Amino acid sequence: MAIEEAAYIVLEREGKFEIRDYAPHILAETMVEGNLEQAGSMAFSRLFGYISGENRSRDKLAMTAPVSQEPMGEKIKMTAPVGQQRVQEKWLVSFMMPASYTLETLPVPDDPRVVLRQVPARRMATVRYSGLWSEKKYLRYKMELASWIKERDLAVAGEPVWARYNSPFTPWFLRRNEILIPVEAGAD
């Protein structure tokens, strides 16, 4: 079963690194405390609850990549990836909402800790890797991406995002993970 993913155009590719232009999209996000690995697990159940019908209309949303869902009568599909980024001493974990929804048509979350937010179009430098979700791998690939960005004299325009595209039931060697860092969109 195909999972909807965030729409983007690849502007440059060099091995596992890319520069992408992302289309505007909507996130359902929540803030949690804990270390990198704990934060994703703690937030996932809260966000999954929202897409599973814990909202005012009881709609289920399809999983996306990042994430989408289905409503009870009308379902919203899961999207990918699940995004996670550090905010002060907390983690902001998000699911991307299906592109067929707007802020006005998405169901209102029951849990006030789940917030819907429109993300504008943006340029991201990315690195893709497979394997387990660990802080060690996150830090390793974030450093590699930061070096790649510096080599190209790109200006960083925000905090790194850790994106995970697969369920925990996917074998580790088939998992798609990415680190994305917003960069300034200069003259092309």
Side-chain angles (χ1 to χ4, degrees), residues 7 20 32 34 44 50 53 57 61 72 94 133 147-148 155 177 184:
R20 302 174 182 164
V32 293
F44 186 87
Y50 167 67
S57 60
L61 307 178
M72 220 165 234
S94 61
W133 304 323
S147 294
W148 189 77
N177 307 297
E184 293 293 331

Side-chain angles (χ1 to χ4, degrees), residues 41-177:
S41 296
M42 293 183 329
F44 186 87
S45 61
R46 192 179 299 165
L47 293 168
F48 190 76
Y50 167 67
I51 66 169
S52 297
E54 292 177 16
N55 54 65
R56 286 198 191 143
S57 60
R58 299 295 171 241
D59 288 346
K60 292 184 181 180
L61 307 178
M63 204 67 185
T64 60
V67 173
S68 310
Q69 318 158 355
E70 299 181 62
M72 220 165 234
E74 147 189 89
K75 296 188 175 179
I76 300 173
K77 296 183 177 176
M78 185 82 179
T79 61
V82 173
Q84 180 172 328
Q85 69 185 99
R86 191 83 166 153
V87 177
Q88 296 166 345
E89 296 303 312
K90 299 179 182 179
W91 288 96
L92 187 62
V93 181
S94 61
F95 283 4
M96 184 192 84
M97 296 292 95
S100 60
Y101 287 87
T102 66
L103 281 174
E104 293 76 28
T105 61
L106 277 165
V108 175
D110 285 343
D111 188 332
R113 299 171 297 176
V114 175
V115 177
L116 302 175
R117 179 173 62 93
Q118 178 73 50
V119 177
R122 59 187 176 166
R123 182 160 293 169
M124 305 289 271
T126 68
V127 61
R128 182 184 294 204
Y129 64 98
S130 62
L132 297 174
W133 304 323
S134 69
E135 185 168 15
K136 182 178 178 180
K137 280 197 167 201
Y138 168 78
L139 294 171
R140 172 186 160 194
Y141 286 100
K142 184 176 81 166
M143 188 168 47
E144 286 183 20
L145 180 57
S147 294
W148 189 77
I149 290 169
K150 188 174 182 176
E151 288 170 10
R152 274 148 197 75
D153 292 322
L154 297 170
V156 172
E159 294 300 315
V161 176
W162 183 27
R164 295 162 291 177
Y165 287 79
N166 309 100
S167 82
F169 305 109
T170 302
W172 66 270
F173 54 90
L174 295 176
R175 290 184 187 176
R176 175 181 165 198
N177 307 297

Side-chain angles (χ1 to χ4, degrees), residues 6-61:
Y8 62 85
I9 296 168
V10 176
L11 302 175
E12 179 183 340
R13 178 177 291 133
E14 183 182 339
K16 61 189 172 189
F17 301 102
E18 292 180 346
I19 301 291
R20 302 174 182 164
D21 274 349
Y22 277 84
H25 57 278
I26 300 171
L27 299 178
E29 58 190 14
T30 190
M31 189 85 66
V32 293
E33 294 185 35
N35 69 34
L36 178 86
E37 294 167 25
Q38 294 169 332
S41 296
M42 293 183 329
F44 186 87
S45 61
R46 192 179 299 165
L47 293 168
F48 190 76
Y50 167 67
I51 66 169
S52 297
E54 292 177 16
N55 54 65
R56 286 198 191 143
S57 60
R58 299 295 171 241
D59 288 346
K60 292 184 181 180
L61 307 178

